[in-house]
Amino acid sequence: MTRKYFGTDGIRGRVGEGNITPDFALKLGWAAGRVLGEGRGGKVLIGKDTRISGYMFESALEAGLVAAGMDIRLLGPMPTPAIAYLTRTLRGVAGIVISASHNPYQDNGLKFFSADGDKLSDAVESAIEREFDRPLHTVGPAELGKVKRVDDARGRYIEFCKGTIPAAMSFRNLKLVVDCANGATYHVAPDVFEELGARVITIGDEPDGFNINRKVGSTSPEALMEAVVQEGADLGVAFDGDGDRVLMVDRDGNLIDGDQLIYIIAKSRLEQQYLKGEVVGTLMSNLGLEHALRRLDVGFVRTQVGDRYIMERLKQDDGILGGEPSGHIICRDRTSTGDGIVVALQVLAAMEDADRDLGDLAGEMQKYPQRLINIRLDEQRDIVGLPEIRDAVGSAERELGECGRVLLRPSGTEPLIRVMVEGIDEAQVDSIANRLTDVVRARIAG
């Protein structure tokens, strides 16, 4: 179903451009209130990350929702999965997150959760878009919504996170470095790990509205890798700006990506006889994950890139675990969306149960060489289907045979073409990736 405003993960872009403006947010809030409230009103929760523009969009959404007769609960800076959780527990009709996730502060976006803490369906998003295109009419003065702040939102979410591992489990023997990306986890994640007994050193925990994801967090893990070694820590944990992604670092400073974390959790769940259904990855998941799970006799299936598609497949097959190499991982037996803190806790619990360190557990999965190149476009357009691009991809696939994969796809959130090549031989992978990149760039220039 084609949508006019919503992308694969809400609405996102450069602040002040396109749809990322306060007047758009106001009208969108009104339209969403009209559709989600179904004329009866209801409660909508609004949370945000730490970027400076969040104040502006929070106020605009508030005005639009109130004009539609919706009550509002303001959560302030909170991780995206916290908004999903609190929407369920506070019985909201919807939750709205103001965040551009792992993007820099110049960007922002709007993402919606249903009353169940899930992403909105395509049908509901389309209904909101149709309402958006109608004239805005404010309800009568007596029907206007009211706004309150949820003062204990942070504490509620911390307790939820702690409750996703056994009550008797303690991490008192672990020394952690936690990188909050100067984002929404800065006042939540350190306390979660400390309250579970760990000794915590924190970086990326001083947001100023402009430094979210800047040289810290899961998109720039070098700072964490260095800090873990310098501090002699047992491991490190890196979140992205809105806290729905996590990567980890072992005691030697080696990066442990989302595929490896999925493997660790899957094996732990399997050993405890909790694993249900196939593990769900995406087209970007490393072939090594598929092969490692096959050795455990665990099924693996790929979807399109995006947590929306992972969740759809998990629900379809009643599975509990899926995710992406970026660290966006869904533990459906614990929460309704990708949650960086919850995922990190599942990995720590797996370490505790196995009495092994992170590097040992991750080492059981052999990652195949994979080269990913992002090619920026001057505007969002899909050139992947052009004949010369298809021919180049076909030639690369024949060269790799059954020992590798090639993937070219447009980004769903940015004007980028992503070129991914994977295989057993690293030199061959690099050579093919560079050739494909040259073909794509030549076509763009032409």
Side-chain angles (χ1 to χ4, degrees):
M1 186 180 298
T2 302
R3 294 181 301 280
K4 185 176 179 181
Y5 304 120
F6 286 92
T8 57
D9 196 24
I11 301 166
R12 187 184 302 178
R14 184 60 57 101
V15 173
E17 299 178 5
N19 296 327
I20 312 302
T21 60
D23 55 328
F24 180 89
L26 187 152
K27 186 72 179 293
L28 184 69
W30 173 81
R34 295 269 296 177
V35 172
L36 298 169
E38 298 179 336
R40 300 191 301 270
K43 186 167 49 185
V44 176
L45 285 73
I46 301 178
K48 60 185 179 180
D49 62 24
T50 56
R51 59 196 79 218
I52 188 72
S53 58
Y55 295 99
M56 176 174 67
F57 291 112
E58 183 181 58
S59 298
L61 283 170
E62 180 181 326
L65 287 160
V66 166
M70 304 298 290
D71 291 330
I72 297 173
R73 298 295 180 265
L74 296 175
L75 304 177
M78 288 292 289
T80 288
I83 285 84
Y85 165 71
L86 291 166
T87 299
R88 295 197 312 272
T89 61
L90 294 177
R91 305 302 190 267
V93 300
I96 305 176
V97 183
I98 304 166
S99 174
S101 188
H102 56 284
N103 289 19
Y105 86 92
Q106 294 94 338
D107 294 344
N108 216 329
L110 303 169
K111 185 178 348 185
F112 288 75
F113 288 109
S114 70
D116 297 325
D118 296 327
K119 299 288 178 66
L120 296 184
S121 68
D122 290 351
V124 172
E125 288 182 348
S126 294
I128 292 172
E129 291 188 350
R130 289 193 298 271
E131 193 67 30
F132 183 97
D133 290 334
R134 296 189 175 106
L136 190 155
H137 297 290
T138 303
V139 299
E143 299 173 307
L144 292 170
K146 297 179 181 179
V147 182
K148 294 182 181 179
R149 184 167 296 278
V150 182
D151 293 324
D152 62 346
R154 173 178 165 275
R156 285 173 179 257
Y157 179 60
I158 287 174
E159 289 305 311
F160 162 73
C161 290
K162 290 161 55 181
T164 63
I165 62 171
M169 186 168 282
S170 169
F171 302 134
R172 61 181 178 274
N173 295 322
L174 290 179
K175 181 179 181 181
L176 314 180
V177 180
V178 178
D179 182 349
C180 298
N182 290 318
T185 62
Y186 81 99
H187 63 327
V188 176
D191 287 346
V192 170
F193 297 112
E194 285 181 352
E195 290 182 20
L196 289 170
R199 291 171 290 159
V200 176
I201 299 162
T202 310
I203 63 175
D205 62 336
E206 298 181 354
D208 61 10
F210 305 96
N211 61 2
I212 188 169
N213 300 314
R214 185 193 295 164
K215 297 182 180 180
V216 286
S218 63
T219 53
S220 300
E222 295 79 13
L224 179 64
M225 295 162 71
E226 182 178 346
V228 167
V229 174
Q230 287 183 346
E231 297 290 345
D234 295 295
L235 58 91
V237 182
F239 303 104
D240 68 338
D242 72 330
D244 63 358
R245 300 187 187 196
V246 64
L247 298 179
M248 300 179 75
V249 172
D250 70 15
R251 66 170 72 246
D252 297 320
N254 300 309
L255 184 65
I256 310 298
D257 73 3
D259 284 340
Q260 293 166 294
L261 299 180
I262 290 169
Y263 173 79
I264 291 170
I265 297 170
K267 186 181 180 188
S268 178
R269 293 280 198 275
L270 182 67
E271 290 172 345
Q272 297 175 32
Q273 299 183 338
Y274 292 154
L275 189 62
K276 290 177 57 181
E278 295 178 308
V279 173
V280 180
T282 74
L283 297 172
M284 300 300 294
S285 299
N286 193 280
L287 197 58
L289 172 61
E290 183 175 348
H291 290 177
L293 290 173
R294 186 182 300 165
R295 289 193 294 272
L296 298 177
D297 200 24
V298 172
F300 179 78
V301 63
R302 297 178 187 269
T303 70
Q304 297 180 58
V305 174
D307 63 306
R308 166 192 295 269
Y309 306 109
I310 294 169
M311 180 60 82
E312 286 176 357
R313 186 59 186 255
L314 287 172
K315 288 182 177 180
Q316 176 184 322
D317 298 339
D318 198 26
I320 64 168
L321 179 62
E324 302 177 280
S326 64
H328 200 149
I329 298 169
I330 299 170
C331 294
R332 191 166 162 254
D333 56 341
R334 297 293 189 269
T335 187
S336 65
T337 189
D339 190 319
I341 297 175
V342 169
V343 168
L345 290 175
Q346 307 315 298
V347 174
L348 295 183
M351 292 170 53
E352 192 73 15
D353 287 334
D355 193 23
R356 296 172 63 189
D357 68 27
L358 179 61
D360 285 343
L361 293 178
E364 294 183 4
M365 181 197 130
Q366 178 189 359
K367 286 183 61 180
Y368 294 167
Q370 190 180 82
R371 181 83 181 277
L372 175 63
I373 301 174
N374 293 325
I375 305 171
R376 186 160 292 275
L377 305 172
D378 54 0
E379 60 183 11
Q380 193 88 10
R381 56 190 171 123
D382 186 1
I383 65 170
V384 173
L386 296 176
E388 60 266 45
I389 304 295
R390 290 203 310 268
D391 289 346
V393 171
S395 175
E397 289 175 337
R398 288 190 294 274
E399 184 175 343
L400 288 166
E402 296 181 358
C403 298
R405 297 187 304 127
V406 177
L407 177 66
L408 263 71
R409 70 175 187 90
S411 168
T413 59
E414 300 175 81
L416 298 173
I417 294 291
R418 304 192 192 280
V419 178
M420 191 278 288
V421 180
E422 185 177 53
I424 295 175
D425 183 88
E426 186 169 6
Q428 182 187 40
V429 166
D430 286 342
S431 175
I432 293 174
N434 288 332
R435 290 205 310 267
L436 285 174
T437 300
D438 289 343
V439 172
V440 173
R441 285 182 172 147
R443 181 62 182 84
I444 293 171

